[in-house]
Amino acid sequence: MDLAYIPSPSTGVIHLGPIPLRGYAFCIIIGVFVAVWYGNRRWIARGGTAGTVADIAVWAVPFGLVGGRLYHVITDYQLYFSEGENWVDAFKIWEGGLGIWGAIALGAVGAWIGCRRRGIPLPAYADAIAPGIALAQAIGRWGNWFNQELYGRPTDLPWALKITEGANREAGTYHPTFLYESLWCIGVALLVVWADRRFKLGHGRAFALYVAAYCAGRGWIEYMRVDEAHHVLGLRLNVWTAIVVFLLAVTYIVVSSRLRPGREEIVEPKAEKKAEEKEEKAEGSEKAGESDADADVKADASSDDAVDLGKDGKDVEHGAGKS
């Protein structure tokens, strides 16, 4: 008898009247909102303007969703195009199946388009949103809990995940790899925030640190999973992907820190222009205030002279009458 375990939801869909609210989609949506909200705060702190992150996310998010789905369908094509499978299921994104590698790659293309339209350097934008992406992944992974998918090997640990009988799965208790990855992503977000404050990371290095740290965790978490996957030289394809991307990210950090040390002074020319206009306006107001003060002083001085002249005139007039 299991003394303790993490239960799985009896269903991944809640119906609000005629509208189905799917747990997987809900987690993805909440993750996107958190990433944009926190990315906006970091962008403003770096000298950008409010709303820029959301404007660029309009390009990055759709591209990312398409890229994530494409990666999943391509690497797990047998789930959709094998004999007896329905290829239409490849479009049912709400049933799960987003590859983070494809999401980041194609999402970066969308972000690049958005940045070009606003005249913003992509590396600076990537640095600002990096921790938010990690938090979005931490939230999004709970979508796998709703779908009872991507769990690890069987275990009787107190935090084991209980899986019920279903299509392509056997009832039992397994390692909750979705939970491991969710907690790891939170740790990655905290690491990037700390390192960014401590070392003033710039020119894409904060984003590269996020990528490297995530890959380090994804490698061992992926190794624990038991779902069907392609293998290369005895390792799951995603493990090899994590190793390659990790090495690329570390290489970028090293090379970038030598070629472009420090952090960008200006991340959004529009924000810099607004700041200059505001400063010029403030200086103009100060000068106007000083001019008004000088005018008041001169007016007061003129009034005093007039009073003195008036008094002198009266004295002279009184003196003439007496004489």
Side-chain angles (χ1 to χ4, degrees), residues 211-228:
V211 172
Y214 171 73
C215 289
R218 179 62 185 268
W220 65 267
I221 294 171
E222 183 76 23
Y223 187 73
M224 294 181 67
R225 282 166 45 175
V226 294
D227 53 294
E228 186 178 353

Side-chain angles (χ1 to χ4, degrees), residues 195-218:
D196 195 25
R197 291 176 179 174
R198 175 69 176 80
F199 302 107
K200 303 296 181 184
L201 300 177
H203 302 286
R205 288 188 288 277
F207 184 81
L209 176 61
Y210 144 70
V211 172
Y214 171 73
C215 289
R218 179 62 185 268

